[in-house]
Amino acid sequence: QVQLQESGPGLVKPSETLSLTCSIPGGSITNSDYSWGWIRQSPGKGLEWIGSLSYAGSPIYHPSLKGRVTVSIDSSNNQFSLQVNSLTAADTAVYYCATGLRLGLFESWGQGTLVTVSS
Amino acid sequence: DIVMTQSPDSLAVFLGERATIHCRSSQSLLSTSTYRNHLAWYQQRPGQSPKLLISWATTRESGVPARFSGSGTGTDFTLSISNLQAEDVAVYYCQHYYHAPPYTFGQGTRLEI
């Protein structure tokens, strides 16, 4: 299984932009066999897919978040990232990065990082 | 969007017995070209990340005990856990990965002993 590690701020203010990165120790972001994605889980709630992309493909996003989120690949640092702008309290969640051999199928997950949106 | 609905929301099963969780999708997840169902099951133990148990509705991932099995096709799917063990306490989610966006998860089923 591919190991993944999220990193980013634990606390962000409303209306600001969240930036998270997912590093891939022991793996390669340029491996075209894999797709990469972000999923979040609000406190005590279920799982919500945010967006995904493969190395050679265009990103796809959840329609409810499109326009606020960007998923991108940083080949030089062997990682991929998530940006969410115009944050509100509703964006408070544990954010997971995940990967798999098929777009949308998440075979390996990071440990998750809690992001709280609060002033 | 394809809506995934699980039942029940929670259940309690005795150790050694069988647990059965159902998942229904609002559209068929069966590909007419590959004849495969684009349906996955995940296990999320308390305080942990989700773990993929089953893909393609019936294919158990490497290392997943044979006590876990998936069945179903089209819009109706089932996850069965036989000989329930204490470590099976978790929330279980179904998810489709067909015709995104968006990929959607069921609301989860909490399994207790």
Side-chain angles (χ1 to χ4, degrees):
Chain A
Q1 283 198 340
V2 178
Q3 276 191 304
L4 302 170
Q5 178 71 50
E6 303 93 346
S7 59
L11 179 64
V12 193
K13 289 182 169 53
S15 79
E16 292 188 343
T17 296
L18 169 67
S19 294
L20 297 175
T21 59
C22 182
S23 60
I24 312 159
S28 174
I29 193 70
T30 61
N31 187 334
S32 59
D33 289 336
Y34 285 90
S35 68
W36 314 94
W38 290 93
I39 301 100
R40 68 182 182 180
Q41 186 170 34
S42 300
K45 302 293 186 183
L47 300 164
E48 179 183 41
W49 171 74
I50 299 170
S52 294
L53 81 171
S54 55
Y55 181 69
S58 299
I60 55 174
Y61 302 111
H62 197 299
S64 69
L65 296 170
K66 198 171 183 180
R68 280 209 304 136
V69 301
T70 302
V71 179
S72 58
I73 283 176
D74 179 0
S75 302
S76 59
N77 290 302
N78 198 38
Q79 62 188 25
F80 63 107
S81 64
L82 170 70
Q83 283 196 326
V84 185
N85 55 38
S86 303
L87 290 168
T88 71
D91 295 308
T92 294
V94 174
Y95 286 75
Y96 295 99
C97 60
T99 186
L101 290 171
R102 183 183 176 88
L103 203 60
L105 181 59
F106 304 110
E107 298 165 8
S108 299
W109 296 62
Q111 85 285 357
T113 186
L114 175 61
V115 175
T116 302
V117 181
S118 174
S119 56
Chain B
D1 298 2
I2 297 177
V3 177
M4 307 298 293
T5 304
Q6 293 180 226
S7 62
D9 289 335
S10 64
L11 77 162
V13 176
F14 289 104
L15 288 172
E17 297 295 307
R18 173 183 294 270
T20 302
I21 299 170
H22 301 280
C23 176
R24 175 165 290 176
S25 58
S26 61
Q27 300 175 34
S28 176
L29 304 183
L30 178 64
S31 168
T32 54
S33 57
T34 65
Y35 297 102
R36 303 178 84 178
N37 289 280
H38 294 227
L39 186 280
W41 289 98
Y42 298 86
Q43 174 193 64
Q44 186 175 32
R45 292 177 171 141
Q48 296 187 13
S49 305
K51 172 188 174 183
L52 178 64
L53 296 176
I54 289 172
S55 59
W56 306 110
T58 61
T59 302
R60 207 166 37 248
E61 296 299 299
S62 174
V64 173
R67 304 183 288 104
F68 292 85
S69 63
S71 62
T73 188
T75 62
D76 289 285
F77 303 91
T78 300
L79 173 69
S80 296
I81 310 169
S82 62
N83 187 21
L84 196 73
Q85 303 295 302
E87 63 262 29
D88 300 334
V89 168
V91 179
Y92 293 85
Y93 295 93
C94 62
Q95 178 229 340
H96 89 83
Y97 45 102
Y98 194 47
H99 291 331
Y103 301 115
T104 51
F105 295 83
Q107 80 276 18
T109 295
R110 185 175 302 276
L111 174 60
E112 299 173 334
I113 302 297

